[in-house]
Amino acid sequence: MAPVDLRYTRDHEWVRVEGDVATIGITEYAAGQLGDIVFVELPEVGRTLERAAAFGVVESVKAVSDLFAPVSGRVVEANDALAGQPELVNGDPYGGGWMLRITLSEPSQLDELLDAAAYDALIAEG
Amino acid sequence: MPYGPHTMADRARMLATVGIDSVDELFADIPVALRASRLDLPEPEPELVLAARLESLAARNRVDLASFLGAGVYRHYSPAAVDQILLRGEWYTAYTPYQPEISQGTLQSIYEYESLIAELVALDVVSASHYDGAAATAEAALMTCRSTRRERVLVSRAVHRQYRETLATYFLGGELELDEIPVVADGPDAGTTDLAALERLLAEADRPVAGVIAGQPNFFGLLEPMAEIGRLAHATGALFVAVVEPVSLAVLAPPGAYGADIAAGEGQPLGIAPQYGGPFLGILACTDGLVRQIPGRLVGMTADLDGKRAYVMTMRAREQDIRREKAASNICTNQALLALAASVYLACIGPHGLRDVAALGAARAAELEAALAAAGAPRLHPGPYLNEFVVRVPDAPAVHRRLLERGILAGLVLAEAEPGDPALADGLLVCATEVTTAEEIDRFAAALADALADAPAVEPGARTAATAGAVR
């Protein structure tokens, strides 16, 4: 089950909102589908992201997948711990496996994200 | 699923799926004149007749020449073991050994290639392998753009023209820009990369540079101030690519020692015959920080479940089969057999042997320089060289032709290789290696002296002012 305090995209990213800062990661389902993650490529701090644009790459032993920005904003922090411990994404996707913190440029975009129930329904569909 | 060619019905279904009427439509972008036409072959011949015909064709190769031609491809002695090992059928595939459990031999050979080249260039990561030095250089340029997220690359005009043309081809049609750094026209640094011009190009506002490319030795055989070029590049956040000749690395500082981020080069001098048009071997190496940007196979050594040594492909996700259009390169093949030749060559020759090869070539080149100068053809550039240099010969193209009639291949005619550069109009680019003999040098010098003595006197005013100025 997806944590109820987060919002989700159809591309399997999650968003946690605290004030005007959004923390972004990928869901447990996405991490499980990718398999053992060996590398996460993240943008540098200060970069501006447009919603739905690819901002990075997550690489597992069997696949490579783009990361898409769930909402628009400017990168204020990237999870440097993932450079040495990419397995955090598998082991703790909603905690230590977070990827980016961004300041929201269009907070209204949050309304278009899925809630936990809708996301669970999406992955139940397969 | 049957293993057979596509039936007409299969083809019709595929054409309908992509929405076209014939396969020819897929090739519409290729000018008709360039498309393959029907093979117009003569009737079959008996083997006896055919063998005789092939022999007469092969006899047209001039294997009798005393050759002083280098210009990116070099004659070296290759130990008999090199060709003998290449004859083994197990090696006859360039296909990637994706299944380590059945490919340990191939994987080990690639691992050894990468280890040997890494030692030679003093960089952390070597990929196996690329088509040739020009293709490897172009891949290096693209690496600098991906890594820095910048779109402009500077290449020294003293890098081989064919490499620069390959770079231009790779840069065609995209967002990327390629600018050339001029060479110094005269003075003690003539023929080397113009550092002042490089600084200006690097400083251009709003046009940040991803990478700077220079050759060591450069196309004219001269030694470049590599550490200084690298320092200027790094000062502006650009990466530095060294184009190297591998044998020279036994006696010259390796790219890793003067701060190059990437080394690219032609592997042909390592046990591969200077055959016309290849196949050759592209060497590409980089620092650990660029490991995800380097295209090509990387093989690592690890341990299997029983703790036994095992070799595996590693960092595969950079490659096309997984990363698709975001792969580190759109070329997914390699030159495994030629990389093996280089490995066997290096393993046979050894580090001391390679130093001997490079040093003997340099010694022969010094003898060649003295002999040609005495015959009336002094060097064009004053700076230091290793085993290749440019000499000034009045009416070089004609002299080159006359020497060929006497069995001497007098290097490369720069008026033909670099037609746009009046300073090179009288230049012959000549080289010597360990296989060059004193007798060949004597023959070259004597024939050259004869040719220059016989040459009709050049009338004043018959040459362009620029050319006359360059030879003074």
Side-chain angles (χ1 to χ4, degrees):
Chain A
M1 295 292 284
V4 294
D5 56 327
L6 307 180
R7 309 286 279 184
Y8 301 89
T9 69
R10 293 178 170 275
D11 298 315
H12 309 286
E13 283 94 15
W14 56 259
V15 179
R16 175 182 291 120
V17 183
E18 288 151 312
D20 64 347
V21 174
T23 303
I24 298 169
I26 65 169
T27 64
E28 185 172 14
Y29 174 79
Q33 290 291 304
L34 285 166
D36 291 337
I37 287 165
V38 293
F39 182 65
V40 183
E41 186 185 314
L42 298 173
E44 62 251 55
V45 170
R47 211 173 122 201
T48 305
L49 305 179
E50 290 298 323
R51 179 169 63 167
F55 69 76
V57 175
V58 59
E59 194 177 297
S60 74
V61 290
K62 64 177 183 181
V64 171
S65 183
D66 281 323
L67 296 164
F68 298 99
V71 286
S72 301
R74 199 171 59 83
V75 180
V76 291
E77 194 180 353
N79 188 355
D80 294 334
L82 297 182
Q85 291 176 276
E87 63 274 16
L88 286 172
V89 178
N90 292 105
D92 190 11
Y94 302 111
W98 70 276
M99 293 175 178
L100 285 187
R101 290 196 219 285
I102 66 172
T103 49
L104 297 168
S105 57
E106 293 181 56
S108 64
Q109 290 172 344
L110 291 169
D111 300 337
E112 292 162 47
L113 299 175
L114 306 175
D115 63 17
Y119 181 72
D120 282 335
L122 178 78
I123 57 179
E125 283 170 24
Chain B
M1 191 175 141
Y3 286 96
H6 299 304
T7 64
M8 290 307 282
D10 292 333
R11 288 173 191 219
R13 247 180 45 232
M14 287 191 277
L15 291 173
T17 302
V18 297
I20 56 174
D21 293 326
S22 90
V23 173
D24 291 339
E25 288 180 47
L26 295 173
F27 302 109
D29 290 335
I30 302 173
V32 175
L34 297 178
R35 293 186 213 167
S37 49
R38 183 176 286 280
L39 285 176
D40 185 17
L41 294 176
E43 290 299 304
E45 292 177 2
E47 184 170 330
L48 188 67
V49 176
L50 187 63
R53 195 139 79 87
L54 291 175
E55 272 169 30
S56 78
L57 283 173
R60 287 165 57 186
N61 283 322
R62 293 291 301 272
V63 292
D64 59 313
L65 298 174
S67 174
F68 297 87
L69 179 62
V73 175
Y74 301 92
R75 291 192 309 149
H76 287 288
Y77 180 77
S78 183
V82 177
D83 280 349
Q84 189 60 40
I85 288 172
L86 293 197
L87 287 174
R88 293 189 63 99
E90 297 93 320
W91 303 112
Y92 281 7
T93 174
Y95 282 93
T96 301
Y98 285 123
Q99 288 172 276
E101 59 273 37
I102 58 166
S103 308
Q104 284 299 299
T106 304
L107 287 164
Q108 181 175 345
S109 79
I110 297 173
Y111 180 83
E112 290 184 8
Y113 165 79
E114 293 174 351
S115 303
L116 288 159
I117 300 293
E119 201 172 318
L120 212 47
V121 297
L123 287 168
D124 307 312
V125 184
V126 176
S127 77
S129 49
H130 303 270
Y131 290 138
D132 54 28
T137 303
E139 294 288 5
L142 298 182
M143 286 172 70
T144 68
C145 294
R146 284 195 299 272
S147 174
T148 61
R149 298 178 203 247
R150 297 177 178 181
E151 291 164 352
R152 181 169 170 239
V153 169
L154 306 180
V155 59
S156 167
R157 274 194 67 89
V159 167
H160 199 302
R161 184 167 63 97
Q162 291 167 355
Y163 287 33
R164 287 184 278 125
E165 287 173 351
T166 302
L167 278 164
T169 303
Y170 270 67
F171 276 53
L172 208 65
E175 303 290 306
L176 306 179
E177 291 178 85
L178 185 67
D179 285 335
E180 293 189 341
I181 314 160
V183 298
V184 177
D186 43 36
D189 299 326
T192 61
T193 304
D194 185 336
L195 297 180
L198 170 61
E199 255 187 295
R200 281 194 299 277
L201 287 162
L202 284 167
E204 281 180 30
D206 303 324
R207 299 184 72 209
V209 172
V212 175
I213 305 174
Q216 182 77 322
N218 73 18
F219 177 64
F220 307 116
L222 297 167
L223 300 186
E224 293 272 11
M226 295 303 266
E228 186 59 12
I229 295 171
R231 196 187 62 73
L232 292 173
H234 290 155
T236 63
L239 297 173
F240 178 34
V241 178
V243 178
V244 295
E245 188 283 295
V247 170
S248 74
L249 296 177
V251 292
L252 298 180
Y258 51 72
D261 302 284
I262 305 172
E266 174 52 64
Q268 174 276 329
L270 304 175
I272 299 163
Q275 50 227 351
Y276 179 78
F280 286 156
L281 167 67
I283 291 173
L284 188 59
C286 67
T287 57
D288 201 37
L290 293 169
V291 65
R292 286 177 187 279
Q293 304 299 343
I294 192 170
R297 283 128 196 76
L298 302 180
V299 172
M301 188 169 73
T302 182
D304 69 7
L305 285 176
D306 302 324
K308 288 189 290 195
R309 186 171 67 185
Y311 299 94
V312 291
M313 300 260 299
T314 186
M315 312 287 285
R316 285 262 321 289
R318 305 158 299 113
E319 288 208 72
Q320 243 182 6
D321 59 305
I322 293 181
R323 210 161 190 175
R324 304 291 167 180
E325 81 279 7
K326 291 192 173 61
S329 171
N330 66 349
I331 295 176
C332 216
T333 189
N334 77 122
Q335 292 280 43
L337 196 65
L338 297 157
L340 178 71
S343 307
V344 178
Y345 175 84
L346 285 170
C348 287
I349 292 273
H352 300 290
L354 197 66
R355 206 167 297 141
D356 289 346
V357 169
L360 192 50
R364 288 292 186 220
E367 292 167 26
L368 180 65
E369 181 195 345
L372 295 185
R379 280 184 69 207
L380 178 63
H381 305 116
Y385 65 93
L386 184 62
N387 68 325
E388 188 162 31
F389 54 90
V390 178
V391 289
R392 278 192 337 237
V393 179
D395 207 3
V399 170
H400 190 272
R401 278 194 299 277
R402 295 189 59 186
L403 291 175
L404 201 53
E405 288 162 14
R406 294 184 58 173
I408 291 151
L409 182 49
L412 185 75
V413 178
L414 290 178
E416 291 162 10
E418 293 282 349
D421 193 340
L424 300 172
D426 289 331
L428 287 179
L429 178 64
V430 295
C431 95
T433 67
E434 84 285 1
V435 296
T436 306
T437 64
E439 186 268 333
E440 287 174 331
I441 293 171
D442 290 346
R443 272 175 60 201
F444 184 7
L448 179 67
D450 289 351
L452 291 176
D454 295 352
V458 179
E459 288 174 35
R463 315 173 69 80
T464 67
T467 307
V471 297
R472 206 166 277 142

